Amino acid sequence: MCDVGGVRQNALVISIRSFWGALPREGRWLLSTVAIQTLGRGLTLPFTIIYLHEVRGFDLGLSGALMSLIAIVGLIVTGPGGTLIDRFGARKILLVGLAAMIAGCTLLAFATHPAVAAVGLILIGVNFGVSWPGFNALIAAVVKGDLRQQYFGVNFALVNLGIGVGGIIGGFYVDVDSPETFTVIFLVDAISCLIPAALLLGPLRHVRTQSVPDHGAPPVGGYREILRQPAVLWLTLLTFLAMFIGYGQMEAGFPAYARQVAEVSTQVIGFAFAVNTVVIVLLQFTVLRLITGKRRTRVMWVMALVWAASWLILGAAGLLPDSLAAAIGVLAFMGVFAFGETLLQPTVPAIYNDLASDHNRGRYNAINSAAFQGGAIAGPIAAGLLLDQGLDAVYIGVMVVGCLGIGVLSTALERRIPASANGVPTPESVSG
Protein backbone atom coordinates (compact mmCIF):
# COMPACT_ATOMS: atom_id res chain seq x y z
CA MET A 1 0.00 0.00 0.00
CA CYS A 2 2.86 2.34 0.78
CA ASP A 3 4.33 1.76 -2.69
CA VAL A 4 1.06 2.48 -4.47
CA GLY A 5 0.55 5.63 -2.44
CA GLY A 6 4.06 6.79 -3.35
CA VAL A 7 3.36 6.38 -7.07
CA ARG A 8 0.02 8.18 -6.72
CA GLN A 9 1.63 11.06 -4.88
CA ASN A 10 4.31 11.25 -7.57
CA ALA A 11 1.68 11.36 -10.31
CA LEU A 12 -0.19 14.22 -8.64
CA VAL A 13 2.82 16.42 -8.08
CA ILE A 14 1.94 18.54 -11.11
CA SER A 15 0.01 21.62 -10.12
CA ILE A 16 1.46 25.07 -10.52
CA ARG A 17 1.86 25.59 -6.78
CA SER A 18 3.28 22.15 -5.96
CA PHE A 19 5.60 22.22 -8.96
CA TRP A 20 6.96 25.66 -8.02
CA GLY A 21 7.38 24.59 -4.40
CA ALA A 22 9.34 21.49 -5.42
CA LEU A 23 11.85 23.47 -7.51
CA PRO A 24 15.23 24.41 -6.05
CA ARG A 25 16.01 28.13 -5.89
CA GLU A 26 18.15 28.02 -9.03
CA GLY A 27 15.35 26.29 -10.93
CA ARG A 28 12.93 29.02 -9.94
CA TRP A 29 15.32 31.69 -11.18
CA LEU A 30 15.71 29.89 -14.51
CA LEU A 31 11.98 29.41 -15.04
CA SER A 32 10.73 32.76 -13.79
CA THR A 33 12.22 34.73 -16.68
CA VAL A 34 11.68 32.32 -19.61
CA ALA A 35 8.60 34.03 -21.06
CA ILE A 36 10.22 37.48 -20.79
CA GLN A 37 13.44 36.26 -22.44
CA THR A 38 11.60 34.70 -25.38
CA LEU A 39 9.23 37.63 -25.89
CA GLY A 40 12.06 39.47 -27.65
CA ARG A 41 12.60 36.52 -29.96
CA GLY A 42 8.88 36.40 -30.68
CA LEU A 43 8.99 40.05 -31.73
CA THR A 44 11.47 39.32 -34.53
CA LEU A 45 11.05 35.64 -35.49
CA PRO A 46 8.00 36.00 -37.80
CA PHE A 47 9.15 39.26 -39.36
CA THR A 48 12.85 38.83 -40.14
CA ILE A 49 12.40 37.74 -43.76
CA ILE A 50 9.80 40.51 -44.26
CA TYR A 51 12.33 42.99 -42.87
CA LEU A 52 15.12 41.77 -45.17
CA HIS A 53 12.95 41.71 -48.29
CA GLU A 54 10.42 44.52 -47.94
CA VAL A 55 12.26 46.98 -45.68
CA ARG A 56 15.91 46.56 -46.71
CA GLY A 57 15.07 45.71 -50.33
CA PHE A 58 17.02 42.45 -50.66
CA ASP A 59 15.45 40.15 -53.26
CA LEU A 60 13.42 37.25 -51.89
CA GLY A 61 15.90 34.54 -52.92
CA LEU A 62 18.76 36.33 -51.19
CA SER A 63 16.61 36.97 -48.12
CA GLY A 64 15.79 33.27 -47.86
CA ALA A 65 19.44 32.32 -48.24
CA LEU A 66 20.39 34.79 -45.52
CA MET A 67 17.73 33.35 -43.19
CA SER A 68 19.13 29.84 -43.73
CA LEU A 69 22.44 30.99 -42.21
CA ILE A 70 20.92 30.76 -38.72
CA ALA A 71 20.15 27.05 -39.03
CA ILE A 72 23.33 26.20 -40.95
CA VAL A 73 25.65 27.97 -38.51
CA GLY A 74 23.70 26.59 -35.56
CA LEU A 75 24.16 23.04 -36.84
CA ILE A 76 27.89 23.60 -37.42
CA VAL A 77 28.42 25.12 -33.97
CA THR A 78 26.35 22.58 -32.01
CA GLY A 79 28.96 19.79 -31.97
CA PRO A 80 31.95 21.87 -30.83
CA GLY A 81 29.61 23.74 -28.48
CA GLY A 82 28.63 20.54 -26.69
CA THR A 83 32.28 19.62 -26.18
CA LEU A 84 33.08 23.08 -24.83
CA ILE A 85 30.11 22.89 -22.46
CA ASP A 86 31.47 19.64 -21.01
CA ARG A 87 34.93 21.14 -20.67
CA PHE A 88 34.24 24.67 -19.42
CA GLY A 89 30.65 24.47 -18.18
CA ALA A 90 27.37 25.60 -19.71
CA ARG A 91 27.38 28.96 -17.96
CA LYS A 92 30.51 30.29 -19.69
CA ILE A 93 29.51 29.01 -23.13
CA LEU A 94 26.00 30.42 -22.78
CA LEU A 95 27.43 33.84 -21.93
CA VAL A 96 29.51 33.73 -25.13
CA GLY A 97 26.40 32.75 -27.08
CA LEU A 98 24.34 35.54 -25.55
CA ALA A 99 27.05 38.07 -26.41
CA ALA A 100 26.93 36.83 -30.02
CA MET A 101 23.14 37.14 -30.03
CA ILE A 102 23.23 40.70 -28.72
CA ALA A 103 25.81 41.69 -31.34
CA GLY A 104 23.89 39.88 -34.11
CA CYS A 105 20.53 41.49 -33.33
CA THR A 106 22.15 44.92 -33.07
CA LEU A 107 23.86 44.52 -36.44
CA LEU A 108 20.65 43.28 -38.01
CA ALA A 109 18.74 46.29 -36.69
CA PHE A 110 20.88 48.59 -38.86
CA ALA A 111 21.74 46.21 -41.73
CA THR A 112 21.31 48.10 -44.98
CA HIS A 113 23.74 45.82 -46.86
CA PRO A 114 23.44 42.02 -47.28
CA ALA A 115 26.97 41.49 -45.94
CA VAL A 116 26.11 43.20 -42.66
CA ALA A 117 22.88 41.20 -42.39
CA ALA A 118 24.85 38.00 -43.06
CA VAL A 119 27.28 38.71 -40.21
CA GLY A 120 24.38 39.47 -37.88
CA LEU A 121 22.55 36.26 -38.79
CA ILE A 122 25.74 34.21 -38.44
CA LEU A 123 26.19 35.55 -34.91
CA ILE A 124 22.56 34.70 -34.11
CA GLY A 125 23.23 31.20 -35.46
CA VAL A 126 26.21 30.86 -33.09
CA ASN A 127 23.89 31.53 -30.17
CA PHE A 128 21.31 29.06 -31.46
CA GLY A 129 24.01 26.41 -31.75
CA VAL A 130 25.06 26.62 -28.10
CA SER A 131 21.88 27.78 -26.36
CA TRP A 132 19.91 24.53 -26.72
CA PRO A 133 22.58 22.17 -25.32
CA GLY A 134 23.73 24.83 -22.86
CA PHE A 135 20.37 25.59 -21.26
CA ASN A 136 19.33 21.91 -21.27
CA ALA A 137 22.57 20.99 -19.50
CA LEU A 138 22.00 23.82 -17.02
CA ILE A 139 18.44 22.62 -16.34
CA ALA A 140 19.59 19.04 -15.86
CA ALA A 141 22.26 20.18 -13.39
CA VAL A 142 19.69 22.09 -11.32
CA VAL A 143 16.59 19.86 -11.52
CA LYS A 144 16.73 16.14 -10.74
CA GLY A 145 14.49 13.07 -10.98
CA ASP A 146 10.87 13.21 -12.13
CA LEU A 147 10.87 16.97 -11.67
CA ARG A 148 13.21 17.24 -14.64
CA GLN A 149 10.62 15.94 -17.12
CA GLN A 150 8.02 18.27 -15.64
CA TYR A 151 10.42 21.21 -15.88
CA PHE A 152 11.10 20.61 -19.57
CA GLY A 153 7.36 20.59 -20.24
CA VAL A 154 6.63 23.77 -18.30
CA ASN A 155 9.65 25.48 -19.85
CA PHE A 156 8.33 24.59 -23.32
CA ALA A 157 4.92 26.10 -22.52
CA LEU A 158 6.52 29.32 -21.27
CA VAL A 159 8.78 29.56 -24.33
CA ASN A 160 5.70 29.29 -26.55
CA LEU A 161 3.88 31.87 -24.44
CA GLY A 162 6.74 34.37 -24.76
CA ILE A 163 7.16 33.83 -28.50
CA GLY A 164 3.41 33.93 -29.09
CA VAL A 165 2.87 37.15 -27.17
CA GLY A 166 5.93 38.67 -28.83
CA GLY A 167 4.60 37.74 -32.26
CA ILE A 168 1.23 39.33 -31.52
CA ILE A 169 2.83 42.55 -30.24
CA GLY A 170 5.20 42.62 -33.21
CA GLY A 171 2.34 42.13 -35.65
CA PHE A 172 0.54 45.20 -34.31
CA TYR A 173 3.69 47.31 -34.00
CA VAL A 174 5.88 46.81 -37.07
CA ASP A 175 5.17 48.69 -40.29
CA VAL A 176 7.09 48.07 -43.52
CA ASP A 177 6.71 51.76 -44.36
CA SER A 178 8.44 52.67 -41.08
CA PRO A 179 11.86 50.96 -41.00
CA GLU A 180 12.51 52.31 -37.52
CA THR A 181 9.82 49.98 -36.12
CA PHE A 182 11.90 47.00 -37.22
CA THR A 183 15.04 48.58 -35.77
CA VAL A 184 13.24 48.82 -32.43
CA ILE A 185 12.13 45.17 -32.31
CA PHE A 186 15.62 43.88 -33.11
CA LEU A 187 17.10 46.10 -30.40
CA VAL A 188 14.47 44.84 -27.94
CA ASP A 189 15.46 41.28 -28.89
CA ALA A 190 19.08 42.18 -28.11
CA ILE A 191 18.15 43.79 -24.79
CA SER A 192 16.08 40.75 -23.76
CA CYS A 193 19.29 38.68 -23.86
CA LEU A 194 20.60 40.73 -20.94
CA ILE A 195 18.09 38.96 -18.66
CA PRO A 196 19.59 35.45 -18.93
CA ALA A 197 23.07 36.99 -18.91
CA ALA A 198 22.28 38.68 -15.59
CA LEU A 199 21.02 35.37 -14.18
CA LEU A 200 24.17 33.54 -15.27
CA LEU A 201 26.40 36.23 -13.77
CA GLY A 202 24.32 36.57 -10.60
CA PRO A 203 22.03 33.97 -8.98
CA LEU A 204 23.28 31.09 -11.17
CA ARG A 205 26.98 31.88 -11.08
CA HIS A 206 27.72 28.92 -8.78
CA VAL A 207 25.89 26.28 -10.87
CA ARG A 208 28.26 23.72 -12.35
CA THR A 209 27.29 21.48 -15.27
CA GLN A 210 30.70 19.89 -15.67
CA SER A 211 31.87 17.32 -13.12
CA VAL A 212 34.94 17.79 -10.96
CA PRO A 213 37.93 16.21 -12.77
CA ASP A 214 38.75 12.75 -11.49
CA HIS A 215 42.21 11.74 -12.68
CA GLY A 216 41.61 8.14 -11.63
CA ALA A 217 38.49 7.80 -13.78
CA PRO A 218 38.58 6.44 -17.33
CA PRO A 219 38.57 9.09 -20.08
CA VAL A 220 35.17 10.25 -21.28
CA GLY A 221 34.40 9.23 -24.86
CA GLY A 222 33.56 11.67 -27.60
CA TYR A 223 30.60 11.85 -29.93
CA ARG A 224 31.49 8.65 -31.79
CA GLU A 225 31.48 6.60 -28.61
CA ILE A 226 28.22 8.15 -27.43
CA LEU A 227 26.50 7.49 -30.76
CA ARG A 228 27.65 3.87 -30.72
CA GLN A 229 25.28 3.26 -27.85
CA PRO A 230 22.11 1.72 -29.35
CA ALA A 231 19.84 3.77 -27.10
CA VAL A 232 21.38 7.06 -28.22
CA LEU A 233 21.36 6.07 -31.89
CA TRP A 234 17.67 5.10 -31.87
CA LEU A 235 16.76 8.19 -29.85
CA THR A 236 18.63 10.43 -32.28
CA LEU A 237 16.88 8.86 -35.28
CA LEU A 238 13.54 9.33 -33.52
CA THR A 239 14.34 12.97 -32.77
CA PHE A 240 15.36 13.65 -36.37
CA LEU A 241 12.18 12.07 -37.75
CA ALA A 242 9.98 13.90 -35.24
CA MET A 243 11.54 17.20 -36.26
CA PHE A 244 11.27 16.37 -39.97
CA ILE A 245 7.57 15.53 -39.63
CA GLY A 246 6.84 18.22 -37.05
CA TYR A 247 8.73 21.47 -36.71
CA GLY A 248 10.38 21.10 -40.11
CA GLN A 249 6.94 21.64 -41.65
CA MET A 250 5.74 24.56 -39.54
CA GLU A 251 7.53 27.33 -41.45
CA ALA A 252 7.30 25.79 -44.92
CA GLY A 253 5.16 22.71 -45.59
CA PHE A 254 2.15 23.63 -43.47
CA PRO A 255 1.79 27.28 -44.67
CA ALA A 256 2.43 26.24 -48.29
CA TYR A 257 -0.18 23.45 -48.16
CA ALA A 258 -2.68 25.68 -46.37
CA ARG A 259 -2.30 28.42 -48.99
CA GLN A 260 -1.85 26.44 -52.21
CA VAL A 261 -4.01 23.39 -51.57
CA ALA A 262 -6.55 24.31 -48.88
CA GLU A 263 -6.56 27.88 -50.27
CA VAL A 264 -7.14 29.61 -46.93
CA SER A 265 -6.21 33.23 -46.25
CA THR A 266 -3.04 34.41 -44.57
CA GLN A 267 -5.20 35.54 -41.66
CA VAL A 268 -6.35 31.95 -41.10
CA ILE A 269 -2.74 30.78 -41.09
CA GLY A 270 -1.88 33.47 -38.55
CA PHE A 271 -4.79 32.41 -36.35
CA ALA A 272 -3.60 28.79 -36.65
CA PHE A 273 -0.27 29.68 -35.06
CA ALA A 274 -2.14 31.51 -32.31
CA VAL A 275 -4.22 28.35 -31.73
CA ASN A 276 -0.96 26.39 -31.44
CA THR A 277 0.34 28.67 -28.69
CA VAL A 278 -2.95 28.72 -26.76
CA VAL A 279 -3.33 24.92 -26.80
CA ILE A 280 0.23 24.38 -25.55
CA VAL A 281 -0.09 26.92 -22.74
CA LEU A 282 -3.49 25.62 -21.61
CA LEU A 283 -2.79 21.88 -21.85
CA GLN A 284 0.84 21.44 -20.81
CA PHE A 285 0.21 21.10 -17.06
CA THR A 286 -2.66 18.67 -17.61
CA VAL A 287 -0.55 16.57 -19.97
CA LEU A 288 2.34 16.53 -17.52
CA ARG A 289 0.02 15.27 -14.79
CA LEU A 290 -1.20 12.48 -17.06
CA ILE A 291 2.22 11.29 -18.29
CA THR A 292 4.12 11.44 -14.98
CA GLY A 293 5.21 7.91 -14.11
CA LYS A 294 4.35 6.58 -17.58
CA ARG A 295 6.89 5.07 -19.96
CA ARG A 296 8.18 7.90 -22.13
CA THR A 297 8.40 5.63 -25.18
CA ARG A 298 4.66 4.86 -24.83
CA VAL A 299 3.99 8.60 -24.59
CA MET A 300 5.88 9.00 -27.86
CA TRP A 301 3.59 6.40 -29.47
CA VAL A 302 0.56 8.43 -28.40
CA MET A 303 2.22 11.57 -29.75
CA ALA A 304 2.85 9.82 -33.09
CA LEU A 305 -0.82 8.83 -33.40
CA VAL A 306 -1.96 12.35 -32.47
CA TRP A 307 0.31 13.88 -35.10
CA ALA A 308 -0.86 11.35 -37.71
CA ALA A 309 -4.44 12.42 -36.97
CA SER A 310 -3.47 16.08 -37.33
CA TRP A 311 -1.96 15.51 -40.79
CA LEU A 312 -5.07 13.58 -41.89
CA ILE A 313 -7.17 16.57 -40.77
CA LEU A 314 -5.00 18.91 -42.86
CA GLY A 315 -5.30 16.53 -45.80
CA ALA A 316 -9.09 16.62 -45.48
CA ALA A 317 -8.96 20.44 -45.47
CA GLY A 318 -7.20 20.25 -48.84
CA LEU A 319 -10.14 18.33 -50.29
CA LEU A 320 -12.44 21.34 -49.69
CA PRO A 321 -10.35 24.29 -50.89
CA ASP A 322 -11.36 27.90 -50.33
CA SER A 323 -14.19 27.04 -47.94
CA LEU A 324 -15.16 27.47 -44.32
CA ALA A 325 -14.52 23.75 -43.81
CA ALA A 326 -10.96 24.20 -45.11
CA ALA A 327 -10.36 27.07 -42.68
CA ILE A 328 -11.73 25.03 -39.78
CA GLY A 329 -9.56 22.09 -40.85
CA VAL A 330 -6.41 24.24 -40.90
CA LEU A 331 -7.16 25.58 -37.41
CA ALA A 332 -8.00 22.09 -36.14
CA PHE A 333 -4.77 20.72 -37.57
CA MET A 334 -2.71 23.18 -35.56
CA GLY A 335 -4.68 22.54 -32.36
CA VAL A 336 -4.27 18.76 -32.58
CA PHE A 337 -0.63 19.14 -33.59
CA ALA A 338 -0.03 21.35 -30.54
CA PHE A 339 -1.46 18.64 -28.28
CA GLY A 340 1.16 16.28 -29.71
CA GLU A 341 3.87 18.86 -28.95
CA THR A 342 2.90 18.84 -25.27
CA LEU A 343 3.64 15.10 -25.27
CA LEU A 344 6.93 15.40 -27.15
CA GLN A 345 8.76 18.24 -25.44
CA PRO A 346 8.82 16.92 -21.85
CA THR A 347 9.93 13.43 -22.89
CA VAL A 348 12.78 13.59 -25.42
CA PRO A 349 15.04 16.09 -23.56
CA ALA A 350 14.44 14.18 -20.32
CA ILE A 351 15.55 10.89 -21.91
CA TYR A 352 18.74 12.45 -23.27
CA ASN A 353 19.65 13.95 -19.90
CA ASP A 354 18.77 10.81 -17.94
CA LEU A 355 21.09 8.82 -20.22
CA ALA A 356 23.89 11.37 -19.82
CA SER A 357 26.32 11.95 -16.97
CA ASP A 358 27.89 15.19 -15.78
CA HIS A 359 30.98 14.28 -17.81
CA ASN A 360 29.19 14.35 -21.17
CA ARG A 361 25.86 16.13 -20.65
CA GLY A 362 26.80 18.92 -23.06
CA ARG A 363 27.52 16.43 -25.84
CA TYR A 364 24.29 14.50 -25.26
CA ASN A 365 22.30 17.71 -25.52
CA ALA A 366 24.31 18.77 -28.57
CA ILE A 367 23.32 15.49 -30.28
CA ASN A 368 19.69 16.25 -29.42
CA SER A 369 20.08 19.77 -30.83
CA ALA A 370 21.79 18.55 -34.02
CA ALA A 371 19.04 16.00 -34.68
CA PHE A 372 16.44 18.71 -34.14
CA GLN A 373 18.16 21.15 -36.48
CA GLY A 374 18.84 18.48 -39.09
CA GLY A 375 15.14 17.60 -39.23
CA ALA A 376 14.18 21.27 -39.29
CA ILE A 377 16.46 21.80 -42.31
CA ALA A 378 15.46 18.64 -44.24
CA GLY A 379 11.72 19.07 -43.62
CA PRO A 380 11.20 22.26 -45.66
CA ILE A 381 13.32 20.86 -48.52
CA ALA A 382 11.15 17.74 -48.80
CA ALA A 383 7.95 19.77 -48.50
CA GLY A 384 9.08 22.16 -51.22
CA LEU A 385 9.95 19.34 -53.63
CA LEU A 386 6.66 17.48 -53.13
CA LEU A 387 4.32 20.47 -53.15
CA ASP A 388 6.11 22.14 -56.06
CA GLN A 389 5.37 19.02 -58.15
CA GLY A 390 1.72 19.07 -57.15
CA LEU A 391 2.06 15.88 -55.10
CA ASP A 392 -0.29 17.07 -52.38
CA ALA A 393 -1.66 13.65 -51.43
CA VAL A 394 1.83 12.16 -51.44
CA TYR A 395 2.97 14.94 -49.10
CA ILE A 396 0.24 14.14 -46.56
CA GLY A 397 0.96 10.42 -46.97
CA VAL A 398 4.67 10.94 -46.24
CA MET A 399 3.79 12.88 -43.09
CA VAL A 400 1.40 10.18 -41.83
CA VAL A 401 3.83 7.33 -42.56
CA GLY A 402 6.56 9.34 -40.86
CA CYS A 403 4.40 9.65 -37.75
CA LEU A 404 3.93 5.89 -37.65
CA GLY A 405 7.70 5.59 -38.08
CA ILE A 406 8.12 7.59 -34.88
CA GLY A 407 6.01 4.97 -33.10
CA VAL A 408 8.11 2.13 -34.50
CA LEU A 409 11.31 3.85 -33.39
CA SER A 410 9.79 4.38 -29.94
CA THR A 411 9.20 0.62 -29.63
CA ALA A 412 12.79 -0.08 -30.69
CA LEU A 413 14.07 2.50 -28.22
CA GLU A 414 12.07 1.00 -25.34
CA ARG A 415 14.03 -2.24 -25.64
CA ARG A 416 17.34 -0.41 -25.38
CA ILE A 417 17.07 2.16 -22.59
CA PRO A 418 17.05 1.58 -18.84
CA ALA A 419 13.72 1.94 -17.06
CA SER A 420 14.97 4.99 -15.15
CA ALA A 421 15.59 6.89 -18.41
CA ASN A 422 12.19 5.80 -19.68
CA GLY A 423 10.34 7.53 -16.86
CA VAL A 424 9.48 4.34 -14.98
CA PRO A 425 9.44 4.98 -11.21
CA THR A 426 12.38 3.33 -9.42
CA PRO A 427 11.98 1.62 -6.01
CA GLU A 428 13.64 4.66 -4.41
CA SER A 429 11.20 7.15 -5.94
CA VAL A 430 8.19 4.96 -5.16
CA SER A 431 9.11 4.52 -1.49
CA GLY A 432 9.79 8.28 -1.23
Side-chain angles (χ1 to χ4, degrees):
M1 288 295 293
C2 179
D3 286 356
V4 174
V7 173
R8 188 171 298 154
Q9 184 180 11
N10 227 9
L12 294 176
V13 72
I14 283 295
S15 71
I16 295 176
R17 182 176 297 178
S18 62
F19 171 75
W20 187 258
L23 284 177
R25 182 174 61 87
E26 293 84 357
R28 295 178 187 179
W29 274 113
L30 266 174
L31 201 60
S32 62
T33 59
V34 168
I36 300 174
Q37 295 172 33
T38 54
L39 188 143
R41 190 64 193 139
L43 282 171
T44 60
L45 184 63
F47 308 110
T48 303
I49 195 164
I50 295 172
Y51 167 70
L52 295 174
H53 177 52
E54 297 188 34
V55 177
R56 295 309 183 190
F58 308 156
D59 68 62
L60 193 56
L62 176 60
S63 299
L66 288 170
M67 286 290 294
S68 70
L69 288 173
I70 297 176
I72 293 170
V73 173
L75 186 59
I76 293 170
V77 169
T78 293
T83 303
L84 292 172
I85 288 167
D86 286 333
R87 182 172 181 181
F88 299 107
R91 198 177 65 86
K92 293 179 181 177
I93 305 305
L94 283 170
L95 285 169
V96 173
L98 288 167
M101 184 70 177
I102 292 170
C105 288
T106 303
L107 280 175
L108 208 54
F110 302 100
T112 56
H113 191 279
V116 178
V119 174
L121 291 163
I122 287 170
L123 289 170
I124 292 173
V126 169
N127 179 62
F128 276 32
V130 300
S131 62
W132 182 309
F135 275 111
N136 278 2
L138 202 66
I139 290 168
V142 169
V143 185
K144 309 292 184 182
D146 291 337
L147 202 61
R148 183 181 289 166
Q149 173 175 287
Q150 298 159 10
Y151 188 103
F152 280 122
V154 175
N155 184 76
F156 174 66
L158 291 175
V159 166
N160 274 271
L161 178 63
I163 290 177
V165 172
I168 293 170
I169 294 172
F172 281 107
Y173 176 71
V174 296
D175 182 355
V176 294
D177 295 321
S178 301
E180 65 274 9
T181 61
F182 286 86
T183 299
V184 169
I185 63 171
F186 281 108
L187 291 178
V188 170
D189 195 4
I191 292 169
S192 68
C193 294
L194 297 175
I195 297 171
L199 287 178
L200 294 170
L201 292 170
L204 302 179
R205 66 185 181 278
H206 301 302
V207 176
R208 289 180 59 89
T209 56
Q210 74 276 38
S211 60
V212 178
D214 183 358
H215 299 293
V220 179
Y223 285 109
R224 185 177 298 180
E225 184 174 329
I226 294 172
L227 287 169
R228 281 176 179 167
Q229 301 176 45
V232 177
L233 182 59
W234 285 102
L235 180 59
T236 302
L237 290 173
L238 186 154
T239 304
F240 174 84
L241 183 57
M243 295 312 105
F244 177 88
I245 297 299
Y247 296 102
Q249 304 306 320
M250 288 304 98
E251 294 183 14
F254 160 67
Y257 187 94
R259 283 290 291 158
Q260 296 177 17
V261 183
E263 297 182 13
V264 301
S265 67
T266 55
Q267 287 82 4
V268 169
I269 296 174
F271 277 121
F273 280 97
V275 167
N276 180 273
T277 298
V278 170
V279 169
I280 290 170
V281 172
L282 292 180
L283 290 187
Q284 188 67 81
F285 263 102
T286 301
V287 169
L288 286 170
R289 184 165 59 248
L290 293 173
I291 68 175
T292 297
K294 305 294 192 302
R295 292 181 185 271
R296 291 164 180 162
T297 47
R298 308 287 173 86
V299 174
M300 291 299 297
W301 246 118
V302 176
M303 186 276 294
L305 295 175
V306 169
W307 272 7
S310 73
W311 284 110
L312 289 173
I313 291 170
L314 185 64
L319 299 176
L320 300 165
D322 193 21
S323 66
L324 177 62
I328 293 172
V330 168
L331 296 174
F333 160 79
M334 198 59 108
V336 176
F337 183 87
F339 173 49
E341 291 181 78
T342 65
L343 295 164
L344 171 70
Q345 289 297 336
T347 52
V348 170
I351 295 174
Y352 274 103
N353 281 283
D354 285 351
L355 289 172
S357 69
D358 290 340
H359 293 281
N360 53 24
R361 195 172 304 283
R363 274 164 281 191
Y364 269 83
N365 281 293
I367 291 169
N368 179 20
S369 176
F372 186 105
Q373 293 179 69
I377 292 170
I381 295 173
L385 291 173
L386 290 172
L387 294 176
D388 188 54
Q389 296 298 316
L391 301 174
D392 313 328
V394 174
Y395 171 71
I396 296 296
V398 169
M399 296 300 111
V400 173
V401 171
C403 291
L404 299 179
I406 293 171
V408 172
L409 289 172
S410 299
T411 300
L413 177 63
E414 184 170 319
R415 303 192 188 106
R416 293 166 172 85
I417 61 173
S420 58
N422 203 13
V424 179
T426 60
E428 293 79 7
S429 64
V430 170
S431 61

